[in-house]
Structure formats: C-alpha cells, structure tokens
C-alpha cells in the first residue's frame, strides 16, 4: 500500500449545475495492476474542508487540545468562538455565538 496521493481536478462541475471549486481527488493504491489492467477497484470516500471551532473559554475542549487534532484533517481551519460561555458556546445559546457558528457553517455549505 502506498501513502495517500492527490490529483487536482480543478473546478469540477456537478450534474446539478453546482461547481465545486478547487477540487482535489485523494486516493490510495493497493497491490499492482495486472497485465490486462482490469483488476482496479474504486472505493468512494469523501473528504471535506473542515472548520474546527473550540470556544475561547471552553475548559472541556480546550483550544490547544483541539488545535492539535487539526493535523488529522487535510484542509483544517481553526476558528475560536470568541465567547465567555465556555463549552456552552458550541450550543449556540448566545445569539452572538450562534451567529459566529452560522457564519462558519454558511461558508462550508457554499460551493460557489
């Protein structure tokens, strides 16, 4: 098995009419192709842009601990929720925290 390899598809149009900007295909290979080159199997997976959002005052998911986990994602972005509500900031109880989280989610869900 080789490590993860990447192939840039660029802007990739979907049948729905939406275009995924800057699309990259990640893949692994196992074994080798035979002489007829007919032993390849494609297994689909999905990897998405990730925004990790710990609260600045969260004592359960601390910023330093959460940021160290970002290296598990291919395209992580760390955004601290500027809240005095600690762990509750993630629940969106406070309107300011809720707006911060909604804005980030909106960015993730916008393809164009």
């Amino acid at each position: 098995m080789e490590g993860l390899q990447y192939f840039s598809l660029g802007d990739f149009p979907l049948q729905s009419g939406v275009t995924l900007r800057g699309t990259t295909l990640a893949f692994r290979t196992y074994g080798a192709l035979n002489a007829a080159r007919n032993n390849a199997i494609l297994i689909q997976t999905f990897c998405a842009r990730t925004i990790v959002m710990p609260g600045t005052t969260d004592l359960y998911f601390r910023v330093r601990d959460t940021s160290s986990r970002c290296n598990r994602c291919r395209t992580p972005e760390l955004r601290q929720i500027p809240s005095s509500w600690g762990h509750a900031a993630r629940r969106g109880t406070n309107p300011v925290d809720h707006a911060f989280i909604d804005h980030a989610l909106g960015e993730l869900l916008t393809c164009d």
Side-chain angles (χ1 to χ4, degrees), residues 33-71:
L33 285 174
N34 61 19
R37 300 179 63 89
N38 63 2
N39 64 334
I41 299 172
L42 175 65
I43 301 172
Q44 298 178 20
T45 60
F46 182 75
C47 184
R49 180 174 163 226
T50 306
I51 299 176
V52 180
M53 295 188 292
T56 54
T57 58
D58 193 331
L59 298 177
Y60 189 72
F61 293 111
R62 296 176 185 265
V63 172
R64 72 173 180 267
D65 298 332
T66 305
S67 63
S68 69
R69 292 183 177 91
C70 279
N71 63 0

Side-chain angles (χ1 to χ4, degrees), residues 9-106:
L9 297 172
D11 292 345
F12 188 76
L14 301 177
Q15 289 178 345
S16 67
V18 171
T19 298
L20 299 177
R21 304 279 178 219
T23 305
T24 300
L25 175 68
F27 64 96
R28 288 183 197 264
T29 58
Y30 300 85
L33 285 174
N34 61 19
R37 300 179 63 89
N38 63 2
N39 64 334
I41 299 172
L42 175 65
I43 301 172
Q44 298 178 20
T45 60
F46 182 75
C47 184
R49 180 174 163 226
T50 306
I51 299 176
V52 180
M53 295 188 292
T56 54
T57 58
D58 193 331
L59 298 177
Y60 189 72
F61 293 111
R62 296 176 185 265
V63 172
R64 72 173 180 267
D65 298 332
T66 305
S67 63
S68 69
R69 292 183 177 91
C70 279
N71 63 0
R72 296 180 184 171
C73 304
R74 181 157 190 272
T75 56
E77 181 180 339
L78 178 67
R79 290 192 197 173
Q80 298 177 38
I81 303 169
S83 176
S84 59
W85 287 81
H87 191 64
R90 295 167 174 259
R91 294 188 199 120
T93 306
N94 178 306
V96 175
D97 300 343
H98 190 74
F100 184 89
I101 294 167
D102 275 358
H103 180 76
L105 288 174

Side-chain angles (χ1 to χ4, degrees), residues 18-19 49 105-112:
V18 171
T19 298
R49 180 174 163 226
L105 288 174
E107 289 180 26
L108 285 174
L109 297 174
T110 302
C111 294
D112 289 322

